[in-house]
Amino acid sequence: MPLTREYRPTLYDLIAHEALAFFETDFNYVIRPEKLFSPLAEDLFAPSTAFQNLKFNSPDSLYSKMNVLRIYQNLERLHAPDKDPDAYVFAQLNRLDFANGILNTDTAWELYMERLNSLIDNYKKDNINGLIKYHLALAYRKRASEKDPENHLKNPGFKTKAAVLCGEVLQQFPNTDVAQRCAQLLDIINGLSFDAKVAQYATPNTANRLYLEYTNMDTTVVRIARVAHDFNSNYFPYRNYDDNIKRLENVIQNTGFYAETATLPKAQDHNQYSTELMLPALEKGTYLVSVSSANGMDEHKFSYGVTQITNLSINATEHNQFSRGQVLDRKTGAPVDDVSLRFYNYKNHLQTKKITDDQGFAQRNQNKKNDNISYVTLIKDGDTLRTDFSGGYRYYSDHSTKKELVKAKTLLFLDRSIYRPGQKVYFKGILLKQENENTEVVPNEYISLVVENTNGEEIEDFRLKTNDFGSVSGEFILPKNGLTGGFSITAEEDDADSLSAFWKGIYDQESYVYSEIGFKVEEYKRPTFEVIFDEIIKAYNPGDSIYITGTANSFMGAKI
């Protein structure tokens, strides 16, 4: 708060505010009373004359809240007779801020707003009116970002209200301390911000999308430049942000081939919004996609992403002594042969090269102590994919005698993904083990299955034995009047009290892979009507008004 003479005109004010700075901080108390002082919201937000006469009775003789309130009572009593209301209102504002902070409830907020608006009305012609409006603007901005359980803004108009109040202060009280503070708050509320995200990988010659979150912006410029496949790791050697921005600008200016200005859906309430922008179909390669305001790129008005346009993809499987990857066509999922895989460590040094077979597989042995692969590059016919590779650190004392880890996992299946309360759920599981590159089913072994509701409470459990094909199946009925939401079935090792040789080996190596499948339980009512919208055949621009027509018919055939 401003430390000017009109708000703290006496020596007592200075001493009192020093004491408030101490007492308002709870952790200054090492010893806490057995029963804490809990004031009522109606008392804390009472008009000044009523607040001055309140009696605070509590066994709490130490705790800070009561000391704070008594000091505020003294300050308001001291300045109530003043001809100039500045110090009197200043003490009330500090008391109201303190009360709103310690209670932090919707009721407290409503009383806080009521009292601030009352002060604004009572002191319309005084200079202190600007400070009251500034407090009100701060309160609106503080709660402007609160969201409900569905992640929607509770108060989408609060930032606009704060901006209006700041504008009134600048107009009514120019060249004052509070006007300067309102100008700073207004700069924050009106601040331009945005963040762009592009897909890390996409297929060639297919239109792609860019996701954009933005505040206080109505126009953006999207630029695309082709870069080397190792752009991300090799192009930012500087820790200085400004130097890297200059290098990015240089890339865009010298190698950029696409620039398009896009008009964004209007957002005039100073809140954050999001939209998607279409990107052109691109040929195979690596591209820098930048988003900036119409004024160009700088520290506050620039966002970028790197996308790789490629037909290649890779699935990797980690084993103790080797890594195995399969290269697939990104669009069709078919295996791709004759692909060169180049493995690099964290220093960008090439470690090994491998070529995929006719099924798209390539295998790399872990042949070094502390062997660590950072990324792998796939190359075929001018198509290059660089992707992270979490091979991890390896510590082997003797590769020749290291026994391959035997892993086990249960694949779980359901007859559907969503059920109604009281319905029957059918499930199936297949127990698999993996050893020495081979995967096979495990017959005649028991597995435990647990069903949990949305609160993690167990509602069913099973101990089932796999058949000759390694599978188990079962069924159960959901509670008719139970909870709805996300449920799960978890498959676990057999009961520890009756372990077979198979499960004992898995237990000893701690190599069972966590196995779970989720499903939804929701209330369902049969629809009685259908709404069909007419086809939209016209193209629209952002900001246009769109009129949609359709027909609602009941399933009995009547119009609705």
Side-chain angles (χ1 to χ4, degrees), residues 190-461:
N190 290 327
L192 173 69
S193 66
F194 58 94
D195 182 34
K197 296 181 176 65
V198 293
Q200 188 174 2
Y201 309 106
T203 54
N205 304 314
T206 304
N208 202 357
R209 291 177 294 178
L210 177 147
Y211 177 77
L212 180 66
E213 293 179 340
Y214 62 96
T215 306
N216 295 320
M217 185 167 68
D218 55 12
T219 305
T220 187
V221 180
V222 180
R223 298 176 175 88
I224 300 178
R226 187 159 187 161
V227 295
H229 68 272
D230 57 355
F231 178 81
N232 261 341
S233 61
N234 291 339
Y235 211 81
F236 298 106
Y238 304 125
R239 293 187 178 181
N240 186 289
Y241 184 87
D242 292 334
D243 289 341
N244 285 329
I245 291 297
K246 290 178 182 178
R247 291 170 68 84
L248 287 168
E249 285 184 301
N250 183 62
V251 171
I252 292 293
Q253 291 169 1
N254 293 330
T255 63
F257 63 88
Y258 173 89
E260 188 71 29
T261 300
T263 302
L264 303 175
K266 292 183 179 179
Q268 299 176 339
D269 56 5
H270 309 285
N271 293 313
Q272 186 182 78
Y273 288 85
S274 64
T275 189
E276 290 182 337
L277 303 176
M278 292 300 297
L279 297 178
L282 299 172
E283 298 179 352
K284 291 180 289 188
T286 303
Y287 296 87
L288 170 67
V289 181
S290 73
V291 177
S292 61
S293 70
N295 299 325
M297 298 184 291
D298 62 37
E299 182 178 357
H300 304 290
K301 302 175 184 177
F302 175 73
S303 182
Y304 80 95
V306 175
T307 183
Q308 295 187 66
I309 308 300
T310 174
N311 283 317
L312 303 176
S313 67
I314 183 170
N315 291 330
T317 303
E318 286 297 305
H319 298 269
N320 247 14
Q321 298 182 8
F322 64 89
S323 302
R324 195 180 192 199
Q326 184 181 28
V327 179
L328 305 172
D329 185 282
R330 184 170 296 276
K331 191 171 185 179
T332 66
V336 184
D337 63 355
D338 201 29
V339 179
S340 174
L341 276 65
R342 302 182 181 185
F343 296 84
Y344 295 83
N345 63 14
Y346 69 99
K347 294 182 179 180
N348 296 333
H349 294 159
L350 178 63
Q351 297 296 99
T352 54
K353 295 181 182 180
K354 296 292 178 181
I355 303 295
T356 58
D357 60 21
D358 58 355
Q359 293 300 311
F361 285 104
Q363 181 172 307
R364 177 185 180 274
N365 295 328
Q366 309 289 1
N367 51 13
K368 285 186 178 181
K369 186 177 181 180
N370 269 1
D371 190 10
N372 181 39
I373 297 299
S374 178
Y375 66 93
V376 58
T377 299
L378 287 64
I379 303 172
K380 181 177 180 178
D381 298 336
D383 194 351
T384 301
L385 167 65
R386 171 180 164 142
T387 183
D388 295 333
F389 187 86
S390 56
Y393 288 92
R394 307 287 171 171
Y395 297 91
Y396 299 135
S397 57
D398 185 357
H399 278 216
S400 61
T401 60
K402 185 72 176 183
K403 184 178 180 181
E404 177 68 20
L405 194 68
V406 179
K407 297 180 181 179
K409 181 178 182 178
T410 304
L411 301 181
L412 295 170
F413 305 91
L414 297 171
D415 61 322
R416 65 182 75 173
S417 60
I418 186 168
Y419 301 84
R420 296 197 302 272
Q423 280 191 326
K424 184 175 290 187
V425 178
Y426 296 91
F427 64 87
K428 183 176 182 178
I430 302 176
L431 180 60
L432 302 174
K433 74 171 181 178
Q434 183 183 70
E435 182 179 12
N436 296 326
E437 303 182 47
N438 297 318
T439 301
E440 57 186 36
V441 298
V442 183
N444 303 315
E445 292 289 348
Y446 283 98
I447 58 175
S448 298
L449 297 103
V450 176
V451 184
E452 295 182 345
N453 64 16
T454 190
N455 283 345
E457 299 167 338
E458 183 178 318
I459 61 173
E460 295 283 353
D461 68 277

Side-chain angles (χ1 to χ4, degrees), residues 9-181:
T10 68
L11 178 61
Y12 179 79
D13 285 284
L14 297 177
I15 296 173
H17 281 283
E18 287 293 325
L20 287 171
F22 175 83
F23 286 124
E24 287 181 349
T25 306
D26 290 347
F27 61 76
N28 285 322
Y29 283 87
V30 177
I31 300 175
R32 295 296 179 91
E34 182 177 349
K35 185 176 181 180
L36 297 179
F37 169 59
S38 300
L40 299 175
E42 292 77 7
D43 292 340
L44 297 187
F45 292 102
S48 182
T49 52
F51 175 74
Q52 293 173 36
N53 296 316
L54 289 175
K55 302 296 183 181
F56 298 116
N57 298 315
S58 171
D60 174 5
S61 60
L62 296 173
Y63 198 48
S64 58
K65 290 185 178 66
M66 192 155 50
N67 293 326
V68 169
L69 296 174
R70 285 171 175 167
I71 293 174
Y72 280 128
Q73 282 183 316
N74 291 336
L75 286 171
E76 292 183 35
R77 292 190 192 110
L78 174 67
H79 293 296
D82 294 353
K83 292 183 179 180
D84 187 336
D86 286 1
Y88 181 45
V89 176
F90 180 71
Q92 293 180 63
L93 290 174
N94 278 270
R95 184 248 300 180
L96 296 174
D97 287 347
F98 172 74
N100 187 49
I102 63 172
L103 296 179
N104 195 27
T105 63
D106 289 340
T107 300
W109 166 259
E110 292 173 2
L111 292 171
Y112 182 56
M113 290 289 102
E114 179 183 337
R115 186 57 47 214
L116 288 180
N117 282 296
S118 177
L119 289 174
I120 289 175
D121 291 338
N122 293 338
Y123 296 94
K124 286 183 178 179
K125 298 180 180 180
D126 298 285
N127 289 336
I128 196 65
N129 186 267
L131 185 63
I132 305 171
K133 287 184 175 179
Y134 175 66
H135 273 252
L136 186 57
L138 284 177
Y140 277 131
R141 180 180 176 269
K142 184 177 181 180
R143 298 198 66 165
S145 301
E146 290 183 350
K147 294 185 178 181
D148 61 21
E150 296 181 353
N151 205 35
H152 298 147
L153 288 174
K154 289 183 178 180
N155 310 295
F158 273 16
K159 285 186 179 179
T160 300
K161 289 183 177 182
V164 169
L165 287 166
C166 288
E168 292 176 358
V169 173
L170 290 171
Q171 184 177 4
Q172 296 170 2
F173 309 101
N175 303 319
T176 62
D177 176 82
V178 70
Q180 183 179 6
R181 291 175 177 272

